[in-house]
Amino acid sequence: MLPAPRADLRPNTLDYENYPLVKATGFREYDARWVLGPDINLLGIEALGLGLGTLIHEMGQRRIVVGHDFRSYSLSVKQALTIGLVAAGCEVLDIGLAVSPMAYFAQFDLDAPCVAMVTASHNENGWTGVKMGAQRPLTFGPEEMGRLKELVLGARWEQRPGGTLAHIAGVAERYITDATSRLSLKRPLTVVAACGNGTAGAFAPKALRDMGVANLIEMDCELDYTFPKYNPNPEDSIMLHAMARTVREHGADLALGFDGDGDRCGVVDDEGEEIYADKIGLMLARDLSYLHANATFVVDVKSTGLFATDEVLKANGATTVYWKTGHSYIKRKTAELGALAGFEKSGHFFMNPPIGRGYDDGLVAAAAILAMLDRNPDKKLSDLKRALPLAYTSLTMSAHCADEEKYGVVDDVVAEYTAFAKDGGTILGRKIVDLITVNGVRVALEDGSWVLVRASSNKPEIVVVVESTRSEDDMRALFHQEVKPRLTRRSQVGAYNQEI
């Protein structure tokens, strides 16, 4: 029997080779992420597989898809996870190198209820993790992750006979066919495909060509797990700026950027201007609301407030629900409400039938964006952007804060804003008209501007977003004069990954 996990092990020691290392902080709200080496070792990953296998047996399942992203160590991590799953009596279907939505697709393709995708998504090299689910197209939420944590850290797993492993070929080809089947472009477009040397580079170029893209410009689509230029993260300014330069250089109609595990899509328009995913979501919602009357859309609390006030959506009978940030939360809420689509500011797009299968998929999102352009042949992407009401939204900014402290800090900020609003406090001369506290706190002001402070679900960070209905200068002031000073007063809060 594998020994119980410990949290005090150090690499390059005897015990490290004989005991599982699993630090509790790796169990996040809706997936698991650790730094491989100091936070978890391969025996710890095996323990995770034993715990996951035990959990899915508790849920009445045993058949599970596994895949891995393109990092130097991901295959080893997947193999260690598989040892644990097989020891727990699971039927493991290994689809090989994959993007996350390919693993989700395989649940349908192979009639497997469960999935375990080994990926650190857009996190820096050194990180590893697993995205898990047992009810397609949903992934785990806090309840399942809490139970998994109990099983693993308490060594409460149960080994069972009958575990098997099969390597399945052809899933990638069938996934691309499925993702591209709903679109055959009539409009000749020049498109930049930006993959940041991540896993999507193996699949996105072929998929976009199969959709009918007339002129595809591949940008950093060669697989290179050192990520020589930047992390494949289309929410970060460095990748967006590189995409913008390539659009201007080639006179492209747009650039589509995919993150490290291919479940997110970032966009740059024909003028080389970055369009944040929530604004792309609003453009898609407008377009889709003409085709699907009275549609419901779900958006995360980091997204623009324009969804709630947009006249086109109102005229077409559309309803928008704001919900917790996180791919698992938005995916689950979109399914629960039977919404047509869900949008997250980080670039996760969730398309329910007839557009998609309900899970977040960068290629399906790309297809929806290209289809929108195809339906508007006389308009460029920049024209559709300019048709939106004005709102100036910041980058997503993240201040370092230890996992053990970030939730307490945010709870304190929520309490502070709640008392501030109750006492009639104002922010840059504006009254507070609403507080949304389903996920941190979103403070809505009387002119439609807002600020958001929440704890990151997958990194030791506190996330900040601000939006102004007035100007870019006012948007910057909301950060530099309001949110940043409020957080700086707390010693637990460190440097930001990027600032406006």
Side-chain angles (χ1 to χ4, degrees):
M1 181 73 75
L2 190 69
R6 292 168 50 181
D8 62 339
L9 302 178
R10 291 181 294 105
N12 198 24
T13 62
L14 176 63
D15 281 352
Y16 191 87
E17 298 299 307
N18 290 306
Y19 292 90
L21 167 66
V22 184
K23 292 194 175 177
T25 52
F27 294 92
R28 312 290 167 137
E29 290 181 45
Y30 44 80
D31 57 21
R33 294 191 194 184
W34 292 270
V35 177
L36 185 63
D39 293 345
I40 196 167
N41 62 6
L42 291 178
L43 287 173
I45 296 289
E46 183 179 337
L48 178 68
L50 277 162
L52 176 59
T54 301
L55 175 58
I56 65 174
H57 272 284
E58 288 182 355
M59 301 169 79
Q61 309 292 348
R62 67 183 294 269
R63 187 171 167 91
I64 184 168
V65 170
V66 299
H68 71 281
D69 68 3
F70 192 76
R71 295 179 188 249
S72 62
Y73 44 82
S74 290
L75 177 57
S76 298
V77 170
K78 183 183 70 175
Q79 289 173 328
L81 184 75
T82 298
I83 290 171
L85 288 167
V86 170
C90 294
E91 180 185 355
V92 179
L93 306 174
D94 187 343
I95 63 171
L97 181 74
V99 287
S100 290
M102 188 185 300
Y104 304 150
F105 164 77
Q107 291 177 267
F108 293 87
D109 183 56
L110 303 176
D111 192 22
C114 305
V115 65
M117 175 65 194
V118 172
T119 177
S121 187
H122 62 277
N123 283 25
E124 297 83 357
N125 266 324
W127 285 86
T128 192
V130 187
K131 293 181 178 179
M132 296 159 278
Q135 185 185 358
R136 59 194 175 200
L138 306 181
T139 41
F140 282 176
E143 182 178 342
E144 296 90 347
M145 289 305 301
R147 178 58 179 156
L148 179 63
K149 182 178 179 180
E150 288 177 359
L151 289 169
V152 174
L153 296 184
R156 297 175 186 169
W157 54 72
E158 183 178 341
Q159 291 193 205
R160 290 178 170 86
T164 61
L165 168 64
H167 293 274
I168 309 297
V171 174
E173 292 78 10
R174 294 192 294 274
Y175 161 71
I176 290 174
T177 297
D178 184 75
T180 61
S181 63
R182 301 170 187 87
L183 176 63
S184 181
L185 282 169
K186 302 176 184 65
R187 180 176 177 179
L189 293 171
T190 297
V191 178
V192 175
C195 296
N197 302 112
T199 320
F203 311 106
K206 173 174 170 46
L208 292 169
R209 289 190 175 97
D210 287 355
M211 291 176 197
V213 172
N215 183 23
L216 187 72
I217 298 159
E218 297 187 23
M219 174 183 162
D220 303 324
C221 292
E222 307 82 11
L223 296 183
D224 186 340
Y225 49 54
T226 67
F227 303 150
K229 297 181 179 178
Y230 41 75
N231 268 5
N233 182 5
E235 195 180 14
D236 280 356
S237 58
I238 186 170
M239 184 170 179
L240 288 167
H241 290 166
M243 291 162 60
R245 287 193 298 271
T246 305
V247 166
R248 296 188 191 104
E249 178 185 346
H250 292 274
D253 293 290
L254 74 160
L256 298 167
F258 303 95
D259 73 331
D261 67 330
D263 59 5
R264 293 192 294 136
C265 183
V267 182
V268 170
D269 71 13
D270 51 285
E271 296 179 346
E273 294 296 323
E274 306 137 19
I275 309 180
Y276 297 138
D278 56 341
K279 301 291 178 61
I280 285 288
L282 180 56
M283 292 158 65
L284 286 171
R286 281 182 154 202
D287 179 64
L288 293 170
S289 70
Y290 285 109
L291 302 175
H292 305 272
N294 304 314
T296 297
F297 300 101
V298 177
V299 298
D300 77 316
V301 293
K302 293 195 296 181
S303 293
T304 177
L306 295 175
F307 279 99
T309 59
D310 186 69
E311 294 301 327
V312 172
L313 295 184
K314 287 181 181 177
N316 292 334
T319 302
T320 300
V321 175
Y322 284 88
W323 196 240
K324 299 177 183 180
T325 290
H327 66 84
S328 183
Y329 292 127
I330 301 298
K331 186 161 31 188
R332 192 173 293 262
K333 197 68 173 178
T334 301
E336 176 189 318
L337 297 178
L340 181 62
F343 307 113
E344 194 179 10
K345 191 174 187 291
S346 62
H348 289 275
F349 296 82
F350 310 86
M351 305 294 183
N352 270 335
I355 308 165
R357 293 175 178 267
Y359 50 76
D360 37 342
D361 188 331
L363 287 180
V364 170
I369 293 162
L370 295 173
M372 175 176 66
L373 286 171
D374 216 33
R375 285 191 286 268
N376 294 273
D378 59 334
K379 292 184 174 66
K380 298 179 179 180
L381 192 57
S382 58
D383 296 326
L384 297 175
K385 180 186 71 176
R386 276 190 286 270
L388 299 178
L390 281 177
Y392 305 88
T393 315
S394 73
L395 294 162
T396 299
M397 298 168 284
S398 300
H400 182 78
C401 188
D403 282 316
E404 298 86 349
E405 297 178 325
K406 63 187 181 184
Y407 292 106
V409 169
V410 170
D411 286 345
D412 188 47
V413 171
V414 172
E416 187 171 292
Y417 271 123
T418 301
F420 189 53
K422 185 178 180 181
D423 292 340
T426 60
I427 292 176
L428 302 187
R430 280 158 280 186
K431 293 179 182 177
I432 298 171
V433 296
D434 191 24
L435 298 177
I436 299 175
T437 57
V438 294
N439 190 203
V441 61
R442 177 165 163 151
V443 185
L445 308 181
E446 59 184 323
D447 65 347
S449 303
W450 54 269
V451 304
L452 170 76
V453 178
R454 59 174 291 272
S456 170
S457 299
N458 49 43
K459 294 181 79 174
E461 294 174 343
I462 291 175
V463 177
V464 175
V465 182
V466 300
E467 181 175 89
S468 170
T469 59
R470 297 185 178 185
S471 67
E472 287 216 14
D473 286 343
D474 184 61
M475 179 257 287
R476 289 183 170 84
L478 286 170
F479 173 65
H480 288 287
Q481 297 179 34
E482 166 58 30
V483 183
K484 187 178 180 183
R486 195 176 291 274
L487 288 176
T488 299
R489 291 199 294 268
R490 292 159 167 86
S491 61
Q492 306 97 315
V493 179
Y496 288 78
N497 66 333
Q498 56 185 356
E499 295 187 22
I500 50 174

